[in-house]
Amino acid sequence: QLHLKESGGGLVQPGGSMRLSCEATGSELQYYGLGWFRQAPGKEREFVAAIRGRGDGAHYADFVEERFTISIDRYENTLYLQMNSLKTDDTAVYYCAADLRGNFVTYDYWGQGIQVAVFA
């Protein structure tokens, strides 16, 4: 059973940077499709970025605008999301997720989420 746990969230000023981590236990991330999602207050959860567990195939939501980078460290079995040039609109709870089939459609495992707050 795969377990995911996010870390690295918190408070940052607009224009700042933050790196989220998603540590996996119970299975190796290389066998999954992996994604980051977020949910802002009063809004539905939305896709942020995804990558194959082998480390290829990274793709992003349009609103990312090349500010974020998704990556995976297979030795640490950890997924990352580097976020730069943060905006107040990036304030949300961020979740990592893993997809058994690797098609980035249905995600089977989710972390508990971590708060990111962007304000001056």
Side-chain angles (χ1 to χ4, degrees), residues 30-118:
Q30 64 176 318
Y31 301 121
Y32 299 84
L34 302 165
W36 285 98
F37 293 79
R38 70 184 189 183
Q39 186 167 20
K43 296 186 178 181
E44 294 186 352
R45 186 170 61 196
E46 62 181 352
F47 168 77
V48 177
I51 192 171
R52 293 192 183 93
R54 299 187 303 269
D56 62 339
H59 54 284
Y60 301 87
D62 289 343
F63 65 77
V64 168
E65 299 174 327
E66 300 185 351
R67 300 179 297 129
F68 298 175
T69 302
I70 188 171
S71 62
I72 179 171
D73 185 325
R74 290 172 57 181
Y75 294 103
E76 296 293 332
N77 211 32
T78 300
L79 177 72
Y80 297 100
L81 183 69
Q82 176 67 43
M83 302 186 292
N84 300 325
S85 302
L86 282 161
K87 308 174 182 179
T88 56
D89 287 348
D90 295 318
T91 295
V93 176
Y94 284 71
Y95 300 88
C96 61
D99 159 25
L100 272 172
R101 287 156 291 280
N103 59 12
F104 306 115
V105 174
T106 303
Y107 286 81
D108 307 279
Y109 303 98
W110 292 83
Q112 82 285 356
I114 192 160
Q115 179 70 55
V116 172
V118 184

Side-chain angles (χ1 to χ4, degrees), residues 1-5 22-29 32 77:
Q1 181 85 9
L2 179 67
H3 295 279
L4 303 172
K5 183 176 181 181
C22 174
E23 181 181 4
T25 57
S27 185
E28 295 183 24
L29 289 179
Y32 299 84
N77 211 32

Side-chain angles (χ1 to χ4, degrees), residues 8-28:
L11 173 63
V12 64
Q13 293 187 336
S17 297
M18 180 178 288
R19 188 177 77 162
L20 302 182
S21 301
C22 174
E23 181 181 4
T25 57
S27 185
E28 295 183 24

